[in-house]
Amino acid sequence: MGSTMEPPGGGYLHLGAVTSPVGTARVLQLAFGCTTFSLVAHRGGFGGVQGTFCMAAWGFCFALSVLVVACEFTRLHGCLRLSWGNFTAAFAMLATLLCATAAVIYPLYFTRLECPPEPAGCMARNFRLAASVFAGLLFLAYAAEVALTRARPGQVASYMATVSGLLKIVQAFVACIIFGALVHDSRYGRYMATQWCVAVYSLCFMATVAVVALSVMGHTGGLGCPFDRLVVVYTFLAVLLYLSAAVIWPVFCFDPKYGEPGRPPDCLRGSCPWDSQLVVAIFTYVNLLLYIVDLAYSQRIRFVPAL
C-alpha cells in the first residue's frame, strides 16, 4: 500500500533550488553575506549610524535569503499564503538596493589604505578591505538574481518580476532616502508649500507600498477592477504629484525670497539644513523620473497575479 504523504510533484527536496542559475546566485548570496558581516563583526569593526545600517542590511538580507533557499529546497513555499514569485522578485530587488548602499557606505566611512592606530592596527584595515570586497560581491549576487528572474518580453510572469514591479521597489527605496533627509533638520515645516511636498512623498510612498503588499500577498485579483489598470491610474497621479513637488520644493528652499540659493558658509557639515534640502530636491527628481519610466512600462505589461 503506497504512502499518501508522497508529494505529487516528486521528491520532497528540490535540488534545482541550489543548482539552477538562480539557485547558484542565492547560494552565493548566502556565502558572501555570511562572510561580509562575519569579517566586520570579528575584526573589521563598525560604529555609528552608518555602520549599524550596513550590519542591519547585511543581516536582514542574509536572514531572508536563508528563508528563500530553505523554502525552495524543501518546497515549503507552497504552504505560505503569499505569491512566492512576487515575494522573491520584490526581495531580490530590495536586497540589491540595500547591499548596493552598504557596499558604498562601509568603504566610504570605515575603509582606509593606511593602518589605523593600535590596538586595531593593520589587521583591522585588512579585515575592512576584505569586507568591502565581499560587500561588492554580495551586491553583484543579488543583482544577478534580479537579472535572471526579470520578466522578458512576451514571458508570462508575476507583477513584481516586471520592470514596473521592480521600479516600485526602487521608488519606495528612494522615498525612504527622502524621508531620511526630511527628518534631518530640513525645515520643511516653515511653509505650507513644503508641507505639501511632504504630503506628496508620503502619499505616493504609501500607495507604492500598498501595490507591493497586494502583489506579494496575492490579493490583486480581488479588488473589483483590473489591477494593471489601477496601477496605470495610480502611476499617472504619482507623476503629477511628484511634478508639483519637483517645482515647489526647489522654489521654497533655494529661491532668495524663501531660502538660500547657495550653501551658507557657516553651515556645519553633517548638520546643515541646506544639505538636507538639496538631497530632498535631487531625489525628488530621481523619483519623478522613475515614475515616468514606470508609467511608460505599466501601459504595456501583462502579468499573472497568482504566480
Side-chain angles (χ1 to χ4, degrees):
M1 186 174 179
S3 173
T4 60
M5 296 297 293
E6 293 182 3
Y12 286 102
L13 300 182
H14 176 42
L15 294 180
V18 293
T19 58
S20 66
V22 175
T24 302
R26 289 171 177 166
V27 171
L28 291 176
Q29 293 162 12
L30 295 178
F32 294 151
C34 183
T35 303
T36 301
F37 65 70
S38 296
L39 288 170
V40 174
H42 181 55
R43 290 294 295 272
F46 67 96
V49 176
Q50 297 83 5
T52 302
F53 168 81
C54 293
M55 289 296 285
W58 293 326
F60 169 78
C61 294
F62 179 78
L64 278 190
S65 291
V66 170
L67 174 66
V68 168
V69 172
C71 288
E72 287 274 0
F73 189 65
T74 59
R75 304 179 190 268
L76 287 178
H77 59 83
C79 302
L80 303 177
R81 293 186 176 181
L82 50 78
S83 173
W84 188 250
N86 280 314
F87 171 75
T88 54
F91 164 64
M93 189 69 244
L94 177 60
T96 300
L97 296 172
L98 288 173
C99 291
T101 306
V104 172
I105 289 178
Y106 189 80
L108 187 63
Y109 282 91
F110 299 99
T111 304
R112 299 291 183 273
L113 293 179
E114 63 273 7
C115 296
E118 296 295 340
C122 291
M123 185 65 72
R125 180 206 59 181
N126 296 339
F127 271 77
R128 291 172 184 174
L129 288 172
S132 299
V133 172
F134 278 99
L137 293 175
L138 179 61
F139 155 69
L140 292 177
Y142 280 110
E145 180 180 350
V146 172
L148 289 170
T149 57
R150 183 178 65 85
R152 302 300 190 271
Q155 178 184 1
V156 177
S158 55
Y159 173 69
M160 294 308 302
T162 65
V163 173
S164 180
L166 296 174
L167 284 174
K168 291 292 186 294
I169 303 297
V170 184
Q171 292 158 5
F173 188 82
V174 171
C176 289
I177 298 176
I178 293 175
F179 292 141
L182 285 172
V183 300
H184 191 63
D185 196 22
S186 64
R187 299 179 181 176
Y188 65 85
R190 292 187 300 170
Y191 304 107
M192 287 295 296
T194 51
Q195 293 178 36
W196 160 257
C197 295
V198 176
V200 167
Y201 304 142
S202 303
L203 180 63
C204 293
F205 174 76
M206 290 186 293
T208 299
V209 171
V211 169
V212 174
L214 287 171
S215 300
V216 170
M217 298 302 294
H219 295 330
T220 56
L223 298 177
C225 59
F227 180 70
D228 51 353
R229 186 174 302 174
L230 281 178
V231 169
V232 171
V233 172
Y234 149 65
T235 307
F236 176 69
L237 293 176
V239 169
L240 296 180
L241 290 172
Y242 258 90
L243 187 60
S244 70
V247 173
I248 293 173
W249 183 268
V251 170
F252 281 84
C253 290
F254 306 121
D255 188 275
K257 182 178 179 180
Y258 304 103
E260 296 286 344
R263 192 177 192 276
D266 58 343
C267 211
L268 298 177
R269 188 171 299 277
S271 59
C272 181
W274 193 89
D275 292 343
S276 298
Q277 293 167 1
L278 181 62
V279 170
V280 172
I282 291 173
F283 283 98
T284 296
Y285 285 103
V286 170
N287 239 2
L288 174 60
L289 179 61
L290 290 173
Y291 277 109
I292 291 174
V293 175
D294 189 2
L295 181 62
Y297 274 97
S298 296
Q299 300 180 76
R300 301 186 301 173
I301 63 170
R302 295 295 182 270
F303 62 95
V304 178
L307 287 180

